[in-house]
Amino acid sequence: MSPSIKNVPTPRIYMDNNATTPIHPRVADAVRPFLDGLFGNPSSLHFAGRDVKEPYETAREQIAAIIGAKVNDVVITSCGSEADNHAIKGIAYGAGKGHIITSAVEHPAVLTCCRYLETRGFPVTYLPVDGHGLVDPADVKDAIRKDTILISIMYANNETGTVMPIADIARVAREREIPFHSDMVQALGKIDVDVTALGVDLASFSGHKVYAPKGVGALYIREGLALDNLIHGGHQESGRRAGTENVIGIVAFGRACELAREEMNERRETVEGLRRRLLNGILERIDQVRLNGHPLQRVPNTLNLSFEFIESESLLLALDMKGVAVSSGSACSSGSTEPSHVLTAMGIPGPLCQSALRFSLGCENSPADVDYVLDILPGLVEKLREMSPFYKKTF
């Protein structure tokens, strides 16, 4: 092999943005002053505290603006999982007892929290979904009991990208005066989010899914809704969430939300075009591929595909060796040998669950990235399928 070919570097193409996103350069610029001279505690009354208090509250305003909320209804958390736990446990512990409704395809932060509450005497109904991963609002209505205290259904699924009929479900909850929580982590920055128009009472968000650093999130709590605190201690967040404020994280999250709001339409159009290019190219070049999730009712960046006769981990590693980062499911379930609970709930057979890959595109991706994947993927799939005793090549 000639030196010129041997020394060609392997590209680094990141297509796992539902797991986490890179920090936007303009977000990084926004937090640099807080890595140097602006170091104070926003709860302090002296100049060092005042220097950071204003940008901290400005960031809260930026988060509130992108979700259509009142500024004082936004509580800063450490992540989306904390926001989910605060919403669900806060309602449960405030009520003391009662029934909870959620879906079988929720993020582990919701499902594990609900399973924990079951051990504490709170009965939980896990609603089924259809073949596209959608919850039927009629099923929500039928599941409501006299003692139902909370309904929690996600807005956009992290594995398939399917978007739930949240407004319809919220209407059902409102008719029965039951608090409604939605995990909106995967919706923020990808589709329009207006908590007031959608009619939700509680909503969870995370910074590192929208080009901010890890370690910051937010919980929307509708004005007038009472729930117990998850973390007790000081008076921070108007007494709703104790702990010294993560100034760097919240300033970054606020700036990321401001950019997402300004660039929403452009980002959506660009990323959706790349997703279509990738899907169409794969279906043209590779046979026996299944699209998982709703074909239309979905966030613009997410593509979940089952490649028959292949173990997804093998294909993931093969792509990684070629410089392409994708996922075989939720990052929070990494290391689990069990098939995806989301795909299983959708009625997808086990072998197809085990052969599923998730491509989640982002602002940093380009048509050249997609074309590179389309160039290498067919060969990798064919090579792995040839190792399967069940594969028969179609012509």
Side-chain angles (χ1 to χ4, degrees), residues 20-230:
T20 196
T21 54
I23 298 174
H24 195 293
R26 290 159 71 185
V27 171
D29 290 341
V31 301
R32 284 196 176 91
F34 301 89
L35 297 170
D36 189 11
L38 298 178
F39 62 88
N41 185 326
S43 295
S44 298
L45 297 179
H46 50 61
F47 68 87
R50 293 195 303 271
D51 285 347
V52 299
K53 183 67 172 179
E54 182 177 349
Y56 185 92
E57 293 303 330
T58 296
R60 191 193 309 276
E61 294 171 4
Q62 292 167 327
I63 296 169
I66 197 174
I67 66 172
K70 296 178 181 178
V71 174
N72 292 335
D73 292 349
V74 175
V75 175
I76 307 306
T77 67
S78 66
C79 58
S81 292
E82 182 193 323
D84 284 336
N85 274 260
H86 189 172
I88 297 169
K89 291 177 180 175
I91 291 292
Y93 293 155
K97 60 180 180 179
H99 169 240
I100 298 169
I101 298 171
T102 189
S103 84
V105 297
E106 297 297 312
H107 187 275
V110 170
L111 289 178
T112 306
C113 180
C114 288
R115 291 178 187 132
Y116 169 79
L117 288 174
E118 283 187 285
T119 69
R120 295 299 185 269
F122 292 87
V124 180
T125 296
Y126 299 91
L127 296 175
V129 294
D130 65 15
H132 293 313
L134 288 170
V135 171
D136 188 339
D139 288 344
V140 177
K141 187 174 183 178
D142 291 343
I144 293 174
R145 305 181 347 187
K146 290 182 179 180
D147 63 338
T148 301
I149 57 172
L150 177 69
I151 299 169
S152 180
I153 306 291
M154 69 193 337
Y155 195 6
N157 187 267
N158 51 300
E159 291 192 30
T160 65
T162 294
V163 175
M164 299 290 189
I166 291 300
D168 293 336
I169 297 172
R171 197 172 300 114
V172 170
R174 190 163 54 250
E175 288 172 355
R176 299 293 291 272
E177 298 183 344
I178 300 169
F180 177 43
H181 165 253
S182 183
D183 180 329
M184 295 188 171
V185 166
Q186 292 292 347
L188 186 65
K190 299 171 186 172
I191 58 176
D192 294 331
V193 173
D194 188 324
V195 292
T196 303
L198 290 169
V200 301
D201 301 295
L202 298 150
S204 305
F205 304 95
S206 179
H208 77 103
K209 309 294 188 178
V210 288
Y211 304 95
K214 301 163 191 66
V216 64
L219 174 63
Y220 161 74
I221 306 174
R222 178 181 53 78
E223 184 179 11
L225 181 66
L227 69 162
D228 276 13
N229 284 1
L230 182 67

Side-chain angles (χ1 to χ4, degrees), residues 131-133 159-162 275 278-280 282-283 288-299 302-308 343 346 348 352 356-359:
H132 293 313
E159 291 192 30
T160 65
T162 294
R275 190 200 75 208
L278 180 60
L279 174 61
N280 293 338
I282 290 175
L283 295 180
Q288 300 180 83
V289 177
R290 172 196 169 107
L291 172 66
N292 300 316
H294 199 284
L296 300 175
Q297 198 168 316
R298 61 192 302 120
V299 290
T302 305
L303 190 60
N304 190 301
L305 300 171
S306 288
F307 297 84
E308 292 192 51
L343 301 185
M346 291 164 59
I348 297 173
L352 288 178
L357 279 188
R358 181 187 69 186
F359 300 81

Side-chain angles (χ1 to χ4, degrees), residues 263-293:
E263 302 171 0
M264 177 82 72
N265 292 334
E266 180 183 353
R267 289 186 187 184
R268 182 161 46 198
E269 182 178 345
T270 299
V271 173
E272 192 165 24
L274 293 175
R275 190 200 75 208
R276 285 197 302 268
R277 186 187 188 108
L278 180 60
L279 174 61
N280 293 338
I282 290 175
L283 295 180
E284 288 171 2
R285 292 166 172 80
I286 306 174
D287 62 2
Q288 300 180 83
V289 177
R290 172 196 169 107
L291 172 66
N292 300 316

